[in-house]
């Protein structure tokens, strides 16, 4: 490093000359060797490529890619929140399965996945749904189909009212409007709102500029069966909305209506994702291999193991590490297990010898206690609380304690610690 600062020429690793790329320390760009070799200096130091000693080469086939769902970040996050998944441990996976298995038959069927996805979409768009709900209770004015200046239900008709505060904070002292807060709507008031929906649809249809229809307005029209917006249609729509039959529409009924509208809007997407959720698994009655083209009939239910596989794939979409040409990030348990499968015989033997040396459990050392791990860390690091090995072993112990499992490391856990060490680039 000091030599590099003193001289204008560049030092080159022997390994970089051998491999033709930057494989060791990240000091140089990978295109360095494509420059004129006359300006290059003979290598003066060597940094061994430890990955070649510790890991087996990456395979070229696509089977090395870890499965990832493709819900998109918003919906994937909504699914994780709906299922209360944080660490994706066995306890959380079992709890998620039990919460979705509504009929308790030990399998997850199509309707149960449909309900899960609908809940995830409502959770994903919860804030927008609440905003749309609140707009129903503000900005009343006399409007007719023939009034071209009627303002959109979704636009500026709330200019004299703070729509965001009326329902949640009806007594908000900062609201200077003289309009009284409304928490229930009459048949006439609902008619006004539905006429505004019609106005928006008409404006989009007649516009020469090709204004796109507001998807929420279209969703409301679809879910309420509104086509001509005649008196009979609007009366029937009101009756559908009036779930408790008291001839008034309250906040909860509007909430249900808007949620249904959103599910109508995203219905085709939900259907596609529900079908995909069951793809890639061999049917229990089908002996054919998994079909990469997704042309096999979709099976009707998932076992606990298959459902868990999909949750692992969900975690990979949200948290999974990126994959490089030599190393891959280790951010999930699936990433760690893949890294373990690449351990070279040399590395695996060394880890086994250390594990057996510090373990007093028989036969051949099957677990390591926190105290035994501390002994190893003191001998290697000279103190506790230092280094990536301490961080990763401590994380394992905390997860097991939280799941009410024995607070020990198995041999596979031990491998996982060093898989994460390699993924961190600490070796």
């Amino acid at each position: 490093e000091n030599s590099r600062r003193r001289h204008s020429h560049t030092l080159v690793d022997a390994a970089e000359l051998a491999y033709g790329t930057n494989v060791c320390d990240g000091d140089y760009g990978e295109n360095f060797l494509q420059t004129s070799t006359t300006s290059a200096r003979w290598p003066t130091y060597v940094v061994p490529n430890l990955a070649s000693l510790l890991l087996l080469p990456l395979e070229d086939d696509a089977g090395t890619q870890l499965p990832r769902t493709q819900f998109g970040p918003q919906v994937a996050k909504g699914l994780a929140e709906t299922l209360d998944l944080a660490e994706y441990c066995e306890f959380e996976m079992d709890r998620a399965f039990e919460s979705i298995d509504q009929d308790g038959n030990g399998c997850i069927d199509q309707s149960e996945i449909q309900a899960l996805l609908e809940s995830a979409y409502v959770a994903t768009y919860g804030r927008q749904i609440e905003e749309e709900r609140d707009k129903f209770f503000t900005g009343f004015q006399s409007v007719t189909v023939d009034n071209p200046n009627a303002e959109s239900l979704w636009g500026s008709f709330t200019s004299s009212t703070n729509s965001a505060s009326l329902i949640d904070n009806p007594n908000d002292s900062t609201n200077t409007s003289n309009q009284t807060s409304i928490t229930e709507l009459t048949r006439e008031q609902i008619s006004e709102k539905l006429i505004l929906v019609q106005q928006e649809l008409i404006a989009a249809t007649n516009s020469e500029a090709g204004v796109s229809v507001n998807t929420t307005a279209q969703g409301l029209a679809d879910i309420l069966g509104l086509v001509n917006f005649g008196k009979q249609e609007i009366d029937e729509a009101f009756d559908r909305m009036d779930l408790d039959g008291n001839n008034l529409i309250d906040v909860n009924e509007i909430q249900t209506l808007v949620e249904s509208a959103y599910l109508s809007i995203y219905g085709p997407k939900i259907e596609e994702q529900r079908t995909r959720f069951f793809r890639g698994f061999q049917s229990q009655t089908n002996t054919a291999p998994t079909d990469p083209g997704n042309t096999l009939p979709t099976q009707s239910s998932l076992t606990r193991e298959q459902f868990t596989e999909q949750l692992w794939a969900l975690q990979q979409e949200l948290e999974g590490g990126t994959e490089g040409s030599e190393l891959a990030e280790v951010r999930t348990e699936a990433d760690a297990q893949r890294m373990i499968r690449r351990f070279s015989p040399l590395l695996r033997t060394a880890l086994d010898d250390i594990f057996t040396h510090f373990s007093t459990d028989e036969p051949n050392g099957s677990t390591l206690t926190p105290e035994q791990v501390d002994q190893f860390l003191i001998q290697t690091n000279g103190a506790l609380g230092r280094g990536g090995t301490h961080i990763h072993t401590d994380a394992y112990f905390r997860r097991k304690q939280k799941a009410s499992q024995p607070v020990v490391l198995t041999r596979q856990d031990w491998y996982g610690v060093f898989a994460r060490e390699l993924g961190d680039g600490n070796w």
Side-chain angles (χ1 to χ4, degrees):
E1 180 66 31
N2 291 334
S3 177
R4 193 182 303 119
R5 291 196 185 99
R6 291 195 303 268
H7 302 289
S8 60
H9 52 68
T10 305
L11 301 178
V12 182
D13 287 345
E16 288 176 355
L17 289 175
Y19 287 95
T21 186
N22 177 19
V23 297
C24 295
D25 53 19
D27 288 343
Y28 316 110
E30 293 192 359
N31 295 325
F32 173 78
L33 292 178
Q34 297 175 7
T35 62
S36 173
T37 56
T38 58
S39 62
R41 177 183 170 95
W42 286 107
T44 56
Y45 66 99
V46 175
V47 179
N49 184 1
L50 287 178
S52 64
L53 300 176
L54 304 178
L55 298 174
L56 300 176
L58 282 170
E59 298 178 10
D60 293 331
D61 58 61
T64 60
Q65 300 292 322
L66 292 174
R68 294 174 187 247
T69 56
Q70 298 178 8
F71 293 111
Q74 282 187 305
V75 176
K77 184 178 179 181
L79 277 169
E81 291 177 351
T82 299
L83 294 172
D84 197 19
L85 295 172
E87 298 182 358
Y88 295 82
C89 59
E90 183 179 355
F91 170 76
E92 289 182 350
M93 299 289 198
D94 286 342
R95 181 182 60 194
F97 182 90
E98 300 297 338
S99 68
I100 301 304
D101 185 20
Q102 297 174 357
D103 57 12
N105 68 345
C107 291
I108 304 297
D109 60 30
Q110 299 268 351
S111 63
E112 289 166 335
I113 292 299
Q114 179 80 15
L116 168 62
L117 289 169
E118 289 178 355
S119 297
Y121 268 79
V122 169
T124 299
Y125 295 100
R127 184 179 182 85
Q128 294 96 311
I129 288 172
E130 289 181 359
E131 290 174 354
E132 307 283 12
R133 176 204 67 190
D134 290 359
K135 290 175 183 178
F136 266 89
F137 293 86
T138 58
F140 288 101
Q141 57 182 316
S142 179
V143 295
T144 66
V145 173
D146 297 328
N147 177 9
N149 297 318
E151 294 171 314
S152 168
L153 173 62
W154 321 112
S156 61
F157 72 88
T158 59
S159 58
S160 63
T161 307
N162 183 356
S163 63
S165 66
L166 284 179
I167 293 179
D168 295 329
N169 301 290
N171 299 317
D172 188 350
S173 60
T174 63
N175 179 14
T176 58
S177 171
N178 293 325
Q179 182 173 344
T180 304
S181 172
I182 298 174
T183 58
E184 292 182 323
L185 300 177
T186 65
R187 188 178 295 266
E188 291 72 21
Q189 290 170 325
I190 287 293
S191 297
E192 287 188 26
K193 295 301 183 182
L194 295 183
I195 289 174
L196 290 175
V197 172
Q198 183 190 27
Q199 283 292 322
E200 180 140 346
L201 297 177
I202 291 175
T205 301
N206 296 337
S207 173
E208 294 181 359
V211 177
S212 61
V213 176
N214 181 286
T215 53
T216 308
Q218 188 63 63
L220 287 168
D222 291 344
I223 203 69
L224 292 173
L226 294 169
V227 179
N228 300 317
F229 288 80
K231 184 178 185 304
Q232 181 177 349
E233 277 189 356
I234 290 178
D235 284 342
E236 291 174 352
F238 182 91
D239 293 337
R240 291 191 186 98
M241 297 164 63
D242 187 16
L243 300 178
D244 57 12
N246 69 344
N247 212 34
L248 291 171
I249 306 299
D250 61 25
V251 173
N252 292 332
E253 289 166 330
I254 294 297
Q255 176 81 17
T256 300
L257 170 65
V258 179
E259 288 179 2
S260 299
Y262 266 71
L263 294 179
S264 174
I265 293 166
Y266 292 102
K269 190 69 173 177
I270 293 173
E271 174 70 16
E272 174 190 341
Q273 291 173 338
R274 178 182 62 80
T275 302
R276 189 185 301 155
F277 207 96
F278 286 82
R279 293 291 188 188
F281 294 107
Q282 179 178 323
S283 176
Q284 294 173 351
T285 59
N286 185 358
T287 58
T290 300
D291 176 27
N294 284 339
T295 58
L296 290 176
T298 303
Q299 66 184 80
S300 59
S301 62
L302 298 178
T303 65
R304 184 183 294 266
E305 292 74 20
Q306 290 170 331
F307 182 71
T308 299
E309 284 184 43
Q310 286 292 55
L311 297 188
W312 284 125
L314 175 65
Q315 185 189 24
Q316 284 303 117
E317 178 178 0
L318 287 169
E319 304 175 5
T322 58
E323 301 175 12
S325 59
E326 185 65 40
L327 291 174
E329 284 185 302
V330 178
R331 301 176 63 182
T332 67
E333 185 60 30
D335 289 336
Q337 294 305 313
R338 179 179 54 180
M339 184 71 83
I340 291 170
R341 290 194 293 272
R342 291 187 58 207
F343 281 5
S344 67
L346 175 66
L347 175 59
R348 192 176 292 267
T349 298
L351 292 177
D352 283 341
D353 288 345
I354 296 171
F355 188 94
T356 302
H357 175 77
F358 284 93
S359 175
T360 58
D361 190 23
E362 296 296 336
N364 297 324
S366 58
T367 60
L368 283 176
T369 66
E371 294 75 20
Q372 291 165 340
V373 170
D374 287 348
Q375 293 176 19
F376 165 74
L377 292 174
I378 290 172
Q379 289 194 30
T380 54
N381 294 338
L384 298 177
R386 294 175 50 193
T389 307
H390 164 75
I391 293 173
H392 295 308
T393 54
D394 185 61
Y396 268 102
F397 288 138
R398 284 188 285 105
R399 283 198 297 270
K400 295 201 170 193
Q401 186 175 28
K402 184 177 180 180
S404 300
Q405 297 176 344
V407 185
V408 295
L409 293 184
T410 65
R411 196 172 292 264
Q412 195 68 16
D413 296 334
W414 183 245
Y415 295 156
V417 169
F418 291 93
R420 286 169 169 80
E421 282 274 89
L422 284 167
D424 290 343
N426 291 336
W427 286 35

